[in-house]
Amino acid sequence: MIHRCTQTGSGFEFQVALIISLLFPALLLSQSLVDDLAIEVKGTSREFSFTNKESAFFYGETHGGNKSSWQGFNVFGHEFLDDYDLIVDGKRVERKSATKVIVYPDYLKRFYASGIIEELRLVDSLPLFSVTITSLKPIDVVISPYFTDGRSTNEFEIVTKPEIACIARRTHLTKTEKENYPVWLVVHGPGFLPQKKESKRNGAFSPIAMASRRARSHTLTFCVANEALAGELAARTYISHKQHYHDLRRARMEKLLKETYVETDNARFNKALAWAKLSLDALMMNQVTKGIFAGLPWFNNYWGRDTFISLPGATLVQGRFTEAKEILRSFAAFQQLDSMSSDYGRIPNIVTTTEKAYNTADGTPRFVMMAREYIERSGDTTFLAEVYPTVLRSIEGTLKFHCDSLAFLTHGDAETWMDAVGPDGPWSPRGNRANDMQALWAQQLEAGIWFATRLGDVTSARRWDGKLKLLKENFTKYFVNKGDVTDHLSKDGSVDQQVRPNQIFVSTMLDEQTRADVLHDVVNNLTYEYGVASLSQNDDNFH
């Protein structure tokens, strides 16, 4: 289905035309939508990232060596490679000397003088990336892998044979529960011979180099695995079928763009929207279980809050209901089930490869809200009974451990979305009853009532409805005063009137005039052409 949106007058009027692809296949397949998204990076070096849709990503610089500690090749929450050096015919190739750099959604391409081209690619599912060097005439190529925290070859276990180098940290050869990530980095390329040659550059260390003699095309693969032999097999398989892997990755992206195709008369907007869809899709990973990375490069793990804020755009509005259901199931499985724990019923704030943390008050309401929205959008009523025990525990746990006599949801100082904590404690303490948390709690109760009513749990529905009415009544009484909305109530009952955008979240609990006042307040005190501030600049704590 193709949606065409045209701009007329001062606003957007959307004209939606349904075109049956079977009648017009040439329109859909005449050109690559992915190729149309190519971005030529000029001037200053820009950061880029690619993921493999599982647990691996590469984060680097377009026109320079990787310069930050979080850049490099990361698999299963651990950095395996900081960067690599490229030497052609005995001379180091500086990325800043590239005459052109083009970034596609699926790979990066650098052009150098003398017709040398460098391509960096990840593929779906496999924990590897490849570097391919092509040239107009035969050249010698040497590629050295660099490790940020390495100092000498003695720190590494290195096994070599023709075309293969297997590298592991000696300290990691025996894995522990806290270090549950793969062991080996396997480097493989047809025609390459490993050379145990130490080199240092920009604070990084390389214990080995891979050298290939005269040829017009050279491909070196970096693959991560628990066992060296498994890594070698995966790398060789990729080399043998690399075009097939590239085509599959490209086809997945083309399919997503075509199934959600939107065209306006603003070409830059069209391109930005397509990039946004593919970039968000790249964060939908399968690390331990299905989820959405909170953001690269720092948050290569799952956060409940971030996941359920992004879930509608990432899945529901695009009709990607299978992915939405898998993500909901993943987080339901992580719910705290210990009825004696104060976290009982909570959906985790963060899920890493080795641990879970429940230190947030808003992830749980958002989970329940998204479970309802998934069912409403998809029509998957069979999910009602499956997810209801999770919904039930989430509400009962809150009522037992995090609800006061006024029906307000209570929480810690750093358990809202403003959760940054420094050496002296939370930077923006909002305990123990923030306004946005009350609005989310109200929506959690509403969704719970919706579930209970459809499944015949009349007792729970009535009890929750009573709490919801009390909550709304007390919210108006304690949080709203002449068009202003209190940011939070402290434990001692004092009122905090800091002006924050959080109050936008409570619009559903306000009358029409107060909603207008809140919007006016946020726009005039917090909104700038470059974004929305999280605190009024007139506040003493503004930075």
Side-chain angles (χ1 to χ4, degrees):
M1 183 162 60
I2 293 181
H3 301 278
R4 178 169 177 78
C5 310
T6 60
Q7 183 177 358
T8 60
S10 59
F12 279 96
E13 295 178 358
F14 294 97
Q15 300 175 342
V16 181
L18 175 62
I19 300 176
I20 301 178
S21 61
L22 291 177
L23 297 179
F24 302 100
L27 179 63
L28 291 176
L29 303 175
S30 60
Q31 60 182 356
S32 167
L33 296 177
V34 173
D35 279 336
D36 290 343
L37 299 182
I39 295 176
E40 182 177 351
V41 182
K42 300 178 180 180
T44 305
S45 180
R46 302 297 297 271
E47 294 175 312
F48 70 90
S49 66
F50 297 112
T51 78
N52 76 338
K53 297 283 291 172
E54 288 286 331
S55 62
F57 70 89
F58 190 100
Y59 202 93
E61 296 278 339
T62 58
H63 287 77
N66 294 346
K67 59 186 180 182
S68 302
S69 60
W70 54 81
Q71 291 180 325
F73 187 49
N74 190 295
V75 181
F76 215 66
H78 182 76
E79 184 184 281
F80 275 84
L81 186 69
D82 174 71
D83 204 350
Y84 62 89
D85 249 356
L86 170 62
I87 299 173
V88 173
D89 289 340
K91 296 181 180 180
R92 177 178 286 112
V93 177
E94 299 288 352
R95 290 172 190 156
K96 64 182 179 181
S97 70
T99 57
K100 183 166 63 174
V101 178
I102 299 179
V103 180
Y104 297 89
D106 53 338
Y107 75 107
L108 176 141
K109 197 169 187 177
R110 296 186 181 100
F111 296 81
Y112 300 95
S114 305
I116 296 172
I117 299 175
E118 173 190 9
E119 291 184 6
L120 185 147
R121 292 180 180 268
L122 269 71
V123 296
D124 289 352
S125 301
L126 295 178
L128 63 78
F129 76 95
S130 67
V131 177
T132 297
I133 308 299
T134 58
S135 58
L136 298 175
K137 60 181 182 180
I139 55 175
D140 290 341
V141 168
V142 176
I143 298 179
S144 300
Y146 277 87
F147 304 88
T148 303
D149 54 350
R151 294 293 181 269
S152 73
T153 301
N154 293 332
E155 299 173 25
F156 299 89
E157 184 76 14
I158 301 175
V159 179
T160 64
K161 58 184 176 181
E163 301 185 344
I164 292 286
C166 303
I167 309 167
R169 300 280 184 169
R170 293 187 187 276
T171 56
H172 187 55
L173 287 174
T174 302
K175 293 198 297 184
T176 66
E177 185 177 340
K178 289 295 184 180
E179 292 187 331
N180 186 25
Y181 56 86
V183 176
W184 292 91
L185 175 69
V186 177
V187 187
H188 163 62
F192 279 90
L193 294 176
Q195 301 173 344
K196 291 189 176 181
K197 178 182 178 182
E198 291 187 356
S199 56
K200 297 179 180 179
R201 189 180 182 212
N202 298 330
F205 173 80
S206 177
I208 200 167
M210 299 292 288
S212 179
R213 298 288 295 173
R214 316 297 289 178
R216 290 189 177 90
S217 180
H218 309 255
T219 296
L220 192 64
T221 301
F222 301 82
C223 183
V224 169
N226 275 318
E227 302 293 338
L229 186 59
E232 179 182 341
L233 177 61
R236 290 186 183 279
T237 301
Y238 165 75
I239 290 293
S240 299
H241 305 281
K242 62 180 181 179
Q243 190 58 52
H244 176 65
Y245 281 111
H246 300 168
D247 291 343
L248 286 177
R249 183 172 172 86
R250 173 64 64 96
R252 171 179 60 77
M253 295 180 180
E254 294 279 356
K255 182 174 183 290
L256 173 60
L257 292 175
K258 288 170 181 174
E259 289 180 346
T260 62
Y261 188 79
V262 174
E263 180 183 352
T264 74
D265 61 0
N266 186 324
R268 289 189 67 195
F269 176 81
N270 296 339
K271 190 171 185 177
L273 179 60
W275 265 102
K277 285 188 286 189
L278 290 176
S279 297
L280 187 50
D281 176 71
L283 296 176
M284 294 174 61
M285 304 290 277
N286 196 31
Q287 183 171 268
V288 180
T289 185
K290 193 75 172 182
I292 305 176
F293 275 3
L296 296 176
W298 303 288
F299 301 122
N300 55 321
N301 39 49
Y302 307 144
W303 290 62
R305 173 193 306 117
D306 303 63
T307 294
F308 298 114
I309 287 175
S310 60
L311 193 72
T315 61
L316 299 181
V317 300
Q318 298 186 54
R320 303 179 67 181
F321 299 128
T322 298
E323 289 92 339
K325 189 174 185 177
E326 289 176 346
I327 292 169
L328 288 165
R329 280 175 167 167
S330 293
F331 274 87
F334 292 135
Q335 185 179 42
Q336 176 57 264
L337 303 179
D338 182 359
S339 61
M340 302 304 293
S341 169
S342 60
D343 292 326
Y344 175 60
R346 278 188 168 185
I347 298 298
N349 180 38
I350 184 172
V351 178
T352 72
T353 57
T354 57
E355 59 186 354
K356 299 179 291 291
Y358 297 89
N359 57 325
T360 187
D362 54 349
T364 303
R366 291 188 182 280
F367 169 87
V368 177
M369 293 156 58
M370 286 303 103
R372 173 183 177 177
E373 186 169 341
Y374 160 74
I375 294 170
E376 289 180 321
R377 287 183 180 270
S378 68
D380 182 8
T381 55
T382 60
F383 194 58
L384 276 164
E386 177 183 335
V387 78
Y388 186 60
T390 306
V391 172
L392 182 67
R393 282 189 293 267
S394 76
I395 296 177
E396 292 303 320
T398 302
L399 291 173
K400 182 178 180 181
F401 293 107
H402 301 285
C403 190
D404 65 12
S405 61
L406 300 174
F408 292 146
L409 184 150
T410 61
H411 54 81
D413 276 335
E415 288 190 342
T416 75
W417 70 272
M418 304 193 70
D419 57 4
V421 177
D424 300 323
W427 290 346
S428 303
R430 300 181 69 231
N432 68 343
R433 289 157 292 177
N435 56 20
D436 45 326
M437 296 300 102
Q438 310 316 313
L440 291 172
W441 170 226
Q443 292 178 76
Q444 181 182 359
L445 286 169
E446 289 171 350
I449 294 167
W450 183 88
F451 275 99
T453 300
R454 280 154 181 75
L455 291 170
D457 186 357
V458 178
T459 301
S460 294
R462 287 176 178 170
R463 190 158 59 89
W464 297 344
D465 185 60
K467 288 290 183 182
L468 179 61
K469 289 176 180 177
L470 180 61
L471 169 64
K472 289 183 174 181
E473 177 183 329
N474 284 328
F475 186 87
T476 301
K477 181 178 178 180
Y478 288 89
F479 278 86
V480 183
N481 182 26
K482 297 179 181 180
D484 292 329
V485 175
T486 295
D487 182 68
H488 65 272
L489 304 180
S490 301
K491 288 183 180 180
D492 61 5
S494 60
V495 174
D496 189 296
Q497 296 290 6
Q498 285 184 311
V499 179
R500 296 187 180 277
N502 309 61
Q503 58 191 302
I504 286 290
F505 284 110
V506 309
S507 61
T508 56
M509 302 180 72
L510 305 174
D511 59 48
E512 186 174 349
Q513 182 56 54
T514 307
R515 282 200 299 271
D517 292 340
V518 164
L519 182 61
H520 181 273
D521 190 26
V522 171
V523 169
N524 284 276
N525 291 296
L526 299 167
T527 308
Y528 306 89
E529 62 182 15
Y530 43 80
V532 180
S534 60
L535 182 65
S536 169
Q537 63 178 335
N538 298 318
D539 194 289
D540 291 339
N541 288 320
F542 178 84
H543 299 284

